[in-house]
Amino acid sequence: MSWRADILTIFPAMFPGPLGDSLAGKALADQKWRLNVTDIRDFGLGRHRSVDDTPFGGGAGMVMRADVVDAAIGAVAATGGKAEDDRPLIFLSPRGKPLTQARVRELAAGPGAILVCGRFEGIDQRVIEARQAEEISIGDYILSGGELAALVLLDAVIRLLPGVMGHAESGLEESFSAPLLEYPHYTRPAVWNGRAVPEMLTSGNHAAIAAWRLAQAERITQSRRPDLYNQYLDSVHAPDRFASGAHAP
Ligand code: SAH
């Protein structure tokens, strides 16, 4: 059984979108993952198949109705056979936990995911709670809908699925696998517009190259992401720190 994505959206035409191309698109054609898109509007109310209403308590914008979204989720879970559907239900939301590579790896190791895309001001809180949806954010900014966030999450997961990435090892060494940003990359020509590649990389000394890359990764992480750099220091130095007590906080 391949990894199974269900998307709930009022813009089904946005899928697979960019995931129909390149690695993910080929993997989809090869059924290394499967995609099922549900139009929430099919569960809308009345002649206009309305999915939203004005917010209780007032304020600008509209809110997606709990009854409509719940009916759509129920239909998706039912097609999988509700009892066997152990896929996580995820609501893409700027209020969610930030998406991490660790969560991406967990999702890729599981059976799939059901992704609910919000629009307008978001979804009635009661359906999020009743369905115990996991809220995930792709960053501290506001998109106009959850569709692009769902595509981002799926892209990150799909490249980790077995047989999707050309070089299995290329997933292992990159940023966020270790808590360091990646070292810089260079390819031919060796001199470009007067800029030579770092001499070390043409030395053929693999141990020295590995050490140089680690030093570069540390330098870049320290300057750009002090938060990650501190995590890295903890993970590298924690054992002897606790042994010697020399750097006790
Ligand atoms: N009023 C909300 C924003 C709604 S944006 C607020 O201020 O928090 C509309 C929809 O876009 C959301 O329901 C969500 O599904 C999606 N969305 C917006 N930004 C997102 C982000 N950073 N990560 C994931 N989903 C996001």
Side-chain angles (χ1 to χ4, degrees), residues 91-95 116-123 136-147 149:
F91 171 45
L92 285 312
S93 160
R95 298 170 52 209
V116 182
C117 305
R119 278 274 157 180
F120 318 112
E121 294 307 315
I123 296 179
I136 293 184
S137 164
I138 65 158
D140 290 342
Y141 39 79
I142 306 293
L143 304 167
S144 48
E147 289 78 11

Side-chain angles (χ1 to χ4, degrees), residues 135-212:
E135 291 184 70
I136 293 184
S137 164
I138 65 158
D140 290 342
Y141 39 79
I142 306 293
L143 304 167
S144 48
E147 289 78 11
L148 284 170
L151 289 168
V152 165
L153 184 151
L154 283 179
D155 182 85
V157 167
I158 290 160
R159 60 193 287 285
L160 297 185
L161 297 177
V164 171
M165 220 162 4
H167 303 282
E169 75 275 18
S170 65
L172 296 176
E173 261 194 40
E174 41 194 23
S175 304
F176 303 118
S177 290
L180 283 179
L181 303 179
E182 210 176 35
Y183 52 80
H185 301 284
Y186 300 90
T187 186
R188 275 177 280 275
V191 179
W192 172 74
N193 283 1
R195 295 164 180 264
V197 305
E199 219 175 305
M200 173 62 69
L201 298 179
T202 55
S203 69
N205 181 340
H206 295 296
I209 289 171
W212 181 87

Side-chain angles (χ1 to χ4, degrees), residues 16 18-33 158 163-166:
L19 298 180
D21 240 305
S22 189
L23 278 183
K26 182 163 189 309
L28 183 59
D30 295 344
Q31 296 189 357
K32 288 182 177 139
W33 65 288
I158 290 160
V164 171
M165 220 162 4

